[in-house]
């Protein structure tokens, strides 16, 4: 018998009927040896750190801080960023422990399967698909917009859409998605090398903008640091306020302490993506050491960059001036102090930044779908890898087509907050899963251990729940609709086709002994 009570692979066993059936750690580790579904280990700690910085430092570094300062927290947005980074750091430590213990593709989905059971794993995998699919489409859409802006600054008029069969199609997002789909299909290592160049460029541009901005900083713009709370605008509705305020019957408001907390929930978007890095654990050399070093090192660098940008933008102009703008950003701050030249530099930085973000998100999306397919929860054919490239070639092509169609034909940017709630839900489950696996499998080798467990993982989970409750009620309603669709698919297809459910995903006793 194996650890989870199922018979060995060579013995016919009745399929576990429970929706909470678990896939053992040994079975997960054994699944990576399937020659038809095997990924190539080629990434290092440096590659993972670059991936983390690449996915976190995009257009948001030039805009999200200014938006949060203008509409939610004023200069107190600096605290919002620190809160978001601490919450993210706690969750990322939990990811680091899991990735060093269970270096298998799938990230939070795989970890939940081993600790909380199949239905929870399916739900979190479904959430991750939501997060990365929408994020990829949103980033691709914005890439097209900023490409047009960059050409405008150079004196060229570049249309963002072209008419096709009576519909306006955004051609630029489809182009960039096609390019990275091809790169990722050919090889992960090649893609990360291209990505490294873009990441170094955008970090250099960001540092240049920060240094230039400090020459325009005035200390009086940081006062009051926490503006007093005030009613939200007349066009604000109860569905657009944080869920906590809606449930407690509060009137929509902005600034004050609640504004800082709402700002933290908003700027958390700036830190999403580090969970994507964990999906590459199966493609990493020496994952026990490389994964923790890579994702934690990347998080430290990103936090420093975001806090410095926020200090600059709130110091250059008053938050009240930013609030009067339709789309406040770092560019807005430079324009307001008469430094129009910065807009050109920032536009190039945004374009380069979005390029690398898109690649990492597309990589993460296919690795989650790959893991779910290999387990039978999605059609198994989707997880076959190319014998030549050792990548899920056709899955990458299919995902690229879907992302390109969404980005090219829809107004997907309206669903940005859905990305946040999908990420946070994954963070919650991974945080709570750490002490569960510690208790059930203390024998496993862990390359990294979250300190002060179970206290820190539980605090991490509760902090993520708090941030989720500060997202808008409308986002929650959309999220619940997505979950409902996922549950229907699970019971209609996944429950019956699961390898664990059919007793086909358990290792033999000999494999059990070898892998513990």
């Amino acid at each position: 018998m194996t650890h989870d009570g199922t018979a060995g692979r060579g013995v016919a066993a009745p399929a576990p009927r429970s929706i909470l059936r678990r896939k053992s750690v040994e079975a997960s580790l054994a699944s990576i040896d399937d020659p038809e579904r095997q990924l190539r280990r080629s990434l290092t700690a440096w590659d993972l750190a670059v991936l983390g910085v690449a996915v976190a430092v995009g257009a948001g570094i030039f805009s999200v801080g200014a938006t949060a300062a203008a509409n939610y927290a004023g200069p107190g947005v600096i605290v919002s960023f620190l809160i978001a980074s601490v919450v993210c750091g706690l969750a990322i430590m939990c990811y680091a422990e899991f990735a060093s213990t269970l270096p298998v593709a799938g990230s939070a989905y795989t970890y939940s399967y081993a600790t909380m059971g199949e239905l929870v794993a399916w739900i979190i995998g479904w959430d991750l698909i939501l997060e990365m699919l929408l994020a990829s489409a949103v980033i691709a859409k914005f890439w097209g917009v900023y490409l047009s802006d960059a050409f405008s600054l150079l004196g060229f008029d570049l249309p963002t859409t072209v008419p096709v069969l009576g519909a306006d199609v955004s051609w630029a997002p489809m182009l960039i998605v096609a390019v990275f789909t091809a790169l990722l299909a050919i090889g992960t290592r090649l893609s990360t090398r291209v990505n490294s160049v873009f990441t170094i460029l955008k970090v250099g541009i960001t540092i240049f903008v920060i240094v230039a901005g400090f020459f325009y900083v005035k200390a009086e713009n940081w006062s009051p640091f926490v503006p007093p709370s005030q009613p939200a605008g007349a066009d604000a509705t109860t569905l657009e306020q944080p869920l906590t305020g809606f449930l407690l019957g509060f009137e929509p408001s902005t600034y004050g302490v609640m504004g800082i907390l709402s700002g933290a929930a908003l700027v958390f978007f700036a830190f999403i993506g580090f969970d994507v890095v964990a999906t590459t654990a199966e493609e990493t050399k020496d994952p026990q050491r490389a994964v923790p070093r890579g994702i934690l090192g990347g998080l430290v660098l990103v936090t420093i960059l975001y806090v410095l940008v926020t200090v600059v933008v709130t110091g250059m102009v008053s938050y009240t001036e930013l609030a009067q703008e339709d789309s406040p950003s770092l560019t807005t701050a430079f324009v307001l102090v008469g430094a129009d030249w910065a807009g050109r530099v920032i536009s190039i930085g945004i374009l380069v930044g979005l390029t690398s973000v898109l690649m990492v998100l597309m990589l993460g999306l296919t690795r989650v779908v790959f893991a779910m397919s290999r387990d039978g929860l999605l059609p198994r054919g989707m997880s076959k890898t190319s014998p030549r490239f050792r990548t899920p070639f056709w899955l990458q092509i299919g995902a690229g087509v879907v992302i390109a169609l969404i980005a090219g034909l829809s107004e997907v940017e309206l669903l940005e907050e859905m990305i946040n709630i999908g990420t946070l839900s994954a963070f919650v489950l991974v945080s709570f899963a750490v002490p569960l696996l510690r208790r059930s499998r203390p024998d496993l080798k862990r390359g990294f251990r979250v300190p002060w467990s179970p206290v820190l993982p539980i605090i991490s989970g509760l902090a993520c729940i708090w941030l989720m409750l500060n997202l808008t009620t409308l986002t929650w309603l959309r999220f619940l609709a997505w979950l409902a669709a996922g549950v229907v698919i699970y019971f209609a297809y996944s429950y019956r086709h699961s390898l664990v459910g059919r007793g086909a995903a358990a290792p033999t006793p000999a494999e059990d002994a070898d892998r513990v």
Side-chain angles (χ1 to χ4, degrees), residues 59-244:
I61 198 167
F62 301 114
S63 61
V64 72
T67 300
N71 301 327
Y72 293 96
V77 71
I78 297 169
V79 178
S80 297
F81 265 107
L82 292 175
I83 292 172
S85 66
V86 168
V87 173
C88 186
L90 291 173
I92 288 305
M93 283 197 293
C94 297
Y95 272 91
E97 176 165 330
F98 263 112
S100 68
T101 308
L102 191 55
V104 178
S107 186
Y109 157 76
T110 300
Y111 312 150
S112 299
Y113 211 161
T115 54
M116 298 181 181
E118 186 172 278
L119 179 60
V120 175
W122 164 265
I123 289 173
I124 208 60
W126 188 243
D127 287 351
L128 289 172
I129 291 173
L130 167 72
E131 171 203 341
M132 297 178 196
L133 177 64
L134 286 184
S136 297
V138 167
I139 295 300
K141 189 83 166 186
F142 284 144
W143 188 89
V145 172
Y146 283 109
L147 178 67
S148 179
D149 289 348
F151 272 92
S152 295
L153 291 171
L154 297 174
F156 298 99
D157 183 19
L158 187 69
T160 57
T161 61
V162 293
V164 178
L165 299 177
D168 289 333
V169 177
S170 300
W171 63 270
M174 303 182 86
L175 173 64
I176 191 64
V177 168
V179 170
F180 275 116
T181 296
L183 281 174
L184 288 167
I186 292 173
T188 307
R189 180 61 174 165
L190 172 63
S191 304
T192 55
R193 286 176 178 172
V194 173
N195 199 45
S196 296
V197 175
F198 284 115
T199 302
I200 292 170
L201 279 174
K202 70 179 177 183
V203 170
I205 292 171
T206 302
I207 293 173
F208 170 75
V209 170
I210 290 170
V211 173
F214 265 112
F215 288 99
Y216 299 95
V217 166
K218 295 179 180 178
E220 58 264 28
N221 289 325
W222 291 318
S223 180
F225 189 75
V226 181
S229 178
Q230 63 185 56
D235 57 343
T237 67
T238 53
L239 288 180
E240 293 172 336
Q241 68 171 316
L243 183 63
T244 47

Side-chain angles (χ1 to χ4, degrees), residues 142-505:
F142 284 144
W143 188 89
V145 172
Y146 283 109
L147 178 67
S148 179
D149 289 348
F151 272 92
S152 295
L153 291 171
L154 297 174
F156 298 99
D157 183 19
L158 187 69
T160 57
T161 61
V162 293
V164 178
L165 299 177
D168 289 333
V169 177
S170 300
W171 63 270
M174 303 182 86
L175 173 64
I176 191 64
V177 168
V179 170
F180 275 116
T181 296
L183 281 174
L184 288 167
I186 292 173
T188 307
R189 180 61 174 165
L190 172 63
S191 304
T192 55
R193 286 176 178 172
V194 173
N195 199 45
S196 296
V197 175
F198 284 115
T199 302
I200 292 170
L201 279 174
K202 70 179 177 183
V203 170
I205 292 171
T206 302
I207 293 173
F208 170 75
V209 170
I210 290 170
V211 173
F214 265 112
F215 288 99
Y216 299 95
V217 166
K218 295 179 180 178
E220 58 264 28
N221 289 325
W222 291 318
S223 180
F225 189 75
V226 181
S229 178
Q230 63 185 56
D235 57 343
T237 67
T238 53
L239 288 180
E240 293 172 336
Q241 68 171 316
L243 183 63
T244 47
F246 176 79
L247 295 176
L248 296 174
F250 294 162
E251 290 296 320
S253 64
T254 186
Y255 305 126
V257 174
M258 288 300 295
I260 289 178
L261 295 175
S262 295
L266 174 66
V267 303
F268 189 82
F269 177 76
F271 292 95
I272 71 164
F274 284 98
D275 56 321
V276 181
V277 179
T279 67
T280 64
E282 192 172 323
E283 298 165 85
T284 303
K285 301 175 183 176
D286 191 12
Q288 282 75 20
R289 297 181 61 186
V291 174
R293 290 181 179 182
I295 58 180
L296 292 173
L299 177 62
V300 170
L301 178 57
V302 166
T303 300
I304 292 171
L305 289 176
Y306 265 106
V307 169
L308 288 176
V309 168
T310 307
V311 168
V312 167
V313 74
T314 55
M316 289 176 67
V317 295
S318 169
Y319 73 94
T320 56
E321 292 182 82
L322 291 173
Q324 294 172 8
E325 301 292 326
D326 291 333
S327 300
S329 65
L330 186 58
T331 302
T332 305
F334 274 102
V335 170
L336 289 174
V337 297
D340 294 3
W341 60 267
R344 298 180 178 85
V345 177
I346 292 173
S347 291
I348 295 172
I350 289 174
L351 195 61
V352 172
L354 291 180
T355 303
S356 58
V357 173
L358 178 61
M359 193 219 81
V360 182
L361 289 171
M362 291 176 63
L363 172 65
L365 171 63
T366 55
R367 294 319 183 256
V368 171
V369 175
F370 169 83
M372 296 175 73
S373 167
R374 189 164 59 184
D375 290 337
L377 300 187
L378 292 173
R380 286 267 290 168
M382 298 170 70
S383 59
K384 286 190 175 181
T385 54
S386 163
R388 178 180 178 184
F389 302 118
R390 285 299 174 197
T391 63
F393 187 89
W394 291 112
L395 172 59
Q396 195 73 62
I397 299 295
V401 170
V402 172
I403 293 168
L405 290 175
I406 294 174
L409 300 175
S410 70
E411 295 185 13
V412 71
E413 63 271 21
L414 299 177
L415 301 177
E416 274 186 87
E417 278 203 7
M418 290 285 284
I419 302 168
N420 276 11
I421 201 167
T423 304
L424 284 166
S425 61
F427 279 17
V428 169
L429 289 182
V430 171
S431 298
F432 290 149
V434 165
L436 290 178
L437 191 63
R438 288 266 193 107
R439 183 174 180 180
S440 63
R441 296 300 305 274
D443 56 306
L444 294 174
K445 180 182 178 182
R446 291 166 169 82
F448 175 84
R449 298 175 71 93
V450 179
W452 304 314
S453 179
V455 176
L456 274 188
I458 291 174
I459 291 175
S460 171
L462 293 175
C464 290
I465 290 173
W466 175 253
L467 287 182
M468 290 177 72
L469 293 175
N470 279 279
L471 294 170
T472 66
T473 306
L474 185 59
T475 297
W476 272 92
L477 293 175
R478 289 170 173 165
F479 180 60
L480 292 175
W482 175 263
L483 289 184
V487 170
V488 170
I489 294 173
Y490 173 74
F491 284 107
Y493 179 87
S494 306
Y495 179 76
R496 294 182 292 109
H497 291 82
S498 162
L499 292 190
V500 171
R502 292 187 297 176

